[in-house]
């Protein structure tokens, strides 16, 4: 089998950690001997073992006393450069050196300054053959959230909204009127389990009274983020329940009340999108879905602070309403979700 085949398997394993390893990257590792996988693993949870020790452990679990000798003859495939520093766990590069792995094939170099080539250097200095850059684009795409946080000092930003067939986004009177169907809603809840946080503005919080949870899909709830400059959202609204951590960006106070965190910001009418993005970076929030309303979405669009847009278009039309935001980006794909069309755009300017 080719190097590409085994790196693809690493990616299949890595994605299993989505939503659970942030702000770490998703990583998969496969250990191969004589064209046979003898162990594999992935990074399952932040703070716990990385992909490489999980794969090595799998070899020992399967082969017992033979494992040490097998590893000396084996090739380890890993989707991201093994770490070279002590963090929550010991360096994975040292683990491969300890077991005298014969060869290591890597997808991406790790852009994090404590690693970035140092893991590869450790392996080579120990006499291990190293190949890197295999399926580089695919590996980078998988960890686009991680790369964005490290290289641009902000979270990966996903814009999401639904619009009617004739381009309306909300009712003129502000009352909630559902646009997309049940399948689209369930998919949106799956997305919530995959990202760190979800952001709305004050008007959406008041008029729609959303829960912002992933109740229709198994997995964790995202951190709820609300922009409420003057603290006008009623405390009886769903965002103040105990279902998830909630952060309220405002101009009045900084405080913590149970799971509700108030963060005071100055002059929120200036450079709001940039301030929010940097604040989330400081909080190690690696990805965020922005669900509106129109004002918040347009602020991120106008400042070009977005990476991906996911837009549901209904088959229904309205006679009037608030026009949808205008998106300028590269249309990556379109998928039919029940009666709705999902269009996914990528912001190539930020790449």
């Amino acid at each position: 089998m080719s190097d590409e085949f085994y790196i693809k398997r690493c990616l299949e394993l890595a994605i299993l950690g989505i939503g659970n390893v942030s702000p770490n990257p998703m990583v998969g590792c496969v250990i191969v001997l004589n064209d046979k996988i003898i162990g594999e693993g992935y990074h399952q949870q932040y703070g716990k073992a990385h992909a490489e020790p999980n794969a090595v452990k799998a070899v020992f679990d399967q082969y017992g006393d033979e494992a040490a000798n097998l590893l000396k003859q084996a090739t380890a495939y890993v989707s991201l450069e093994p770490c070279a520093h002590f963090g929550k766990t010991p360096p994975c590069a040292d683990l491969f050196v300890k077991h005298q792995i014969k060869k290591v094939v890597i997808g991406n170099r790790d852009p994090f300054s404590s690693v970035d080539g140092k893991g590869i250097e450790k392996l080579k200095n120990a006499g291990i053959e190293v190949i890197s850059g295999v399926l580089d684009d695919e590996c980078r795409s998988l960890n686009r959230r991680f790369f964005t946080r490290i290289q641009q000092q902000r979270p990966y930003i996903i814009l999401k909204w639904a619009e009617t067939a004739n381009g309306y986004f909300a009712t003129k009177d502000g009352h909630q009127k559902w646009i997309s169907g049940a399948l689209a809603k369930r998919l949106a809840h799956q997305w919530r389990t995959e990202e760190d946080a979800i952001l709305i503005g004050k008007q959406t919080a008041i008029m729609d009274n959303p829960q912002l949870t992933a109740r229709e899909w198994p997995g964790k709830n995202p951190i709820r983020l609300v922009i409420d400059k003057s603290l006008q959202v009623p405390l009886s609204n769903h965002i103040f329940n105990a279902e998830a951590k909630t952060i309220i960006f405002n101009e009045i106070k900084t405080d913590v009340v149970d799971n509700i965190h108030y963060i005071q910001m100055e002059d929120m009418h200036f450079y709001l999108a940039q301030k929010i993005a940097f604040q989330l970076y400081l909080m190690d929030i690696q990805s965020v879905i922005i669900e509106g309303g129109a004002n918040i979405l347009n602020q991120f669009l106008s400042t070009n602070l977005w990476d991906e847009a996911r837009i549901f278009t209904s088959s229904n039309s309205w006679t009037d309403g608030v026009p949808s935001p205008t998106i300028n980006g590269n249309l990556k794909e379109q998928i039919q979700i029940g009666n709705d069309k999902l269009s996914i755009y990528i912001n190539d300017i930020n790449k």
Side-chain angles (χ1 to χ4, degrees):
M1 297 293 183
S2 67
D3 288 346
E4 288 80 5
F5 175 87
Y6 292 116
I7 290 293
K8 282 181 180 177
R9 177 57 185 161
C10 290
L11 294 175
E12 290 172 355
L13 292 166
I15 195 68
L16 297 175
I18 192 166
N20 296 315
V21 301
S22 176
N24 282 352
M26 294 175 281
V27 183
C29 178
V30 174
I31 299 175
V32 177
L33 180 60
N34 298 328
D35 282 332
K36 177 186 176 184
I37 294 176
I38 60 171
E40 58 183 28
Y42 67 98
H43 185 26
Q44 299 177 22
Q45 189 174 349
Y46 176 70
K48 300 290 180 66
H50 289 185
E52 297 92 332
N54 284 334
V56 169
K57 181 179 183 298
V59 177
F60 277 93
D61 289 346
Q62 177 74 20
Y63 295 97
D65 293 341
E66 297 177 61
N69 188 50
L70 294 175
L71 287 169
K72 292 177 183 178
Q73 307 169 61
T75 297
Y77 293 84
V78 60
S79 54
L80 187 72
E81 177 182 4
C83 58
H85 66 297
F86 281 89
K88 296 281 185 183
T89 60
C92 295
D94 288 359
L95 181 71
F96 282 165
V97 171
K98 173 187 171 184
H99 290 290
Q100 300 174 36
I101 297 281
K102 184 178 180 181
K103 180 179 177 182
V104 177
V105 179
I106 297 166
N108 291 135
R109 272 179 62 150
D110 190 327
F112 184 52
S113 59
S114 295
V115 185
D116 198 10
K118 298 180 178 69
I120 291 172
E121 185 180 2
K122 270 192 177 187
L123 297 173
K124 287 183 175 179
N125 287 343
I128 296 171
E129 181 185 353
V130 178
I131 296 174
S132 61
V134 178
L135 297 184
D136 188 87
D137 288 344
E138 290 88 338
C139 293
R140 179 179 290 268
S141 177
L142 175 83
N143 276 316
R144 57 195 182 276
R145 299 161 182 83
F146 175 71
F147 275 80
T148 299
R149 184 177 71 88
I150 297 299
Q151 296 177 331
Q152 299 189 43
Q153 289 79 54
R154 64 168 179 81
Y156 188 83
I157 297 170
I158 300 166
L159 309 181
K160 179 256 173 184
W161 71 82
E163 60 187 34
T164 64
N166 56 341
Y168 290 122
F169 169 85
T171 59
K172 278 190 173 178
D173 61 11
H175 284 89
Q176 186 179 33
K177 187 176 179 182
W178 204 259
I179 296 175
S180 52
L183 279 177
K185 181 179 180 182
R186 194 156 188 256
L187 178 57
H189 283 219
Q190 179 188 341
W191 292 340
R192 291 176 182 181
T193 69
E194 297 173 349
E195 311 305 335
D196 288 353
I198 184 167
L199 173 71
I200 60 170
K202 173 200 70 180
Q203 205 63 29
T204 299
I206 292 174
M207 300 307 300
D208 293 353
N209 191 16
Q211 298 182 57
L212 302 184
T213 60
R215 57 198 177 278
E216 294 197 16
W217 193 267
K220 67 168 182 60
N221 288 324
I223 298 170
R224 300 177 293 198
L225 310 171
V226 183
I227 299 172
D228 185 9
K229 178 180 172 182
S230 303
L231 297 181
Q232 293 176 294
V233 179
L235 293 176
S236 58
N237 279 31
H238 293 313
I239 58 164
F240 291 104
N241 65 27
E243 294 294 315
K245 178 179 178 179
T246 300
I247 296 172
I248 312 291
F249 296 110
N250 69 95
E251 286 189 347
I252 296 173
K253 67 177 181 178
T254 294
D255 195 11
V256 178
V257 182
D258 297 324
N259 63 310
I260 312 301
H261 295 238
Y262 296 90
I263 294 182
Q264 185 177 13
M265 303 179 77
E266 294 182 355
D267 299 325
M268 291 179 70
H269 50 291
F270 292 121
Y271 305 108
L272 180 61
Q274 294 93 326
K275 288 176 180 176
I276 293 291
F278 187 62
Q279 183 65 48
L280 297 182
Y281 168 73
L282 295 177
M283 296 164 64
D284 270 345
I285 290 177
Q286 188 160 259
S287 62
V288 59
I289 301 173
I290 300 178
E291 285 207 357
N295 177 44
I296 298 300
L297 287 164
N298 281 319
Q299 289 203 49
F300 280 86
L301 283 165
S302 65
T303 53
N304 205 38
L305 262 178
W306 67 280
D307 298 285
E308 190 175 327
R310 302 171 182 177
I311 304 167
F312 289 109
T313 303
S314 167
S315 57
N316 299 321
S317 294
W318 292 355
T319 54
D320 67 357
V322 177
S324 301
T326 300
I327 190 80
N328 289 310
N330 177 35
L331 180 61
K332 182 182 178 184
E333 60 180 324
Q334 289 187 316
I335 310 163
Q336 196 67 30
I337 309 292
N339 293 323
D340 304 308
K341 180 180 68 178
L342 170 61
S343 302
I344 299 177
Y345 292 84
I346 300 298
N347 186 359
D348 288 331
I349 295 175
N350 284 332
K351 300 297 173 279

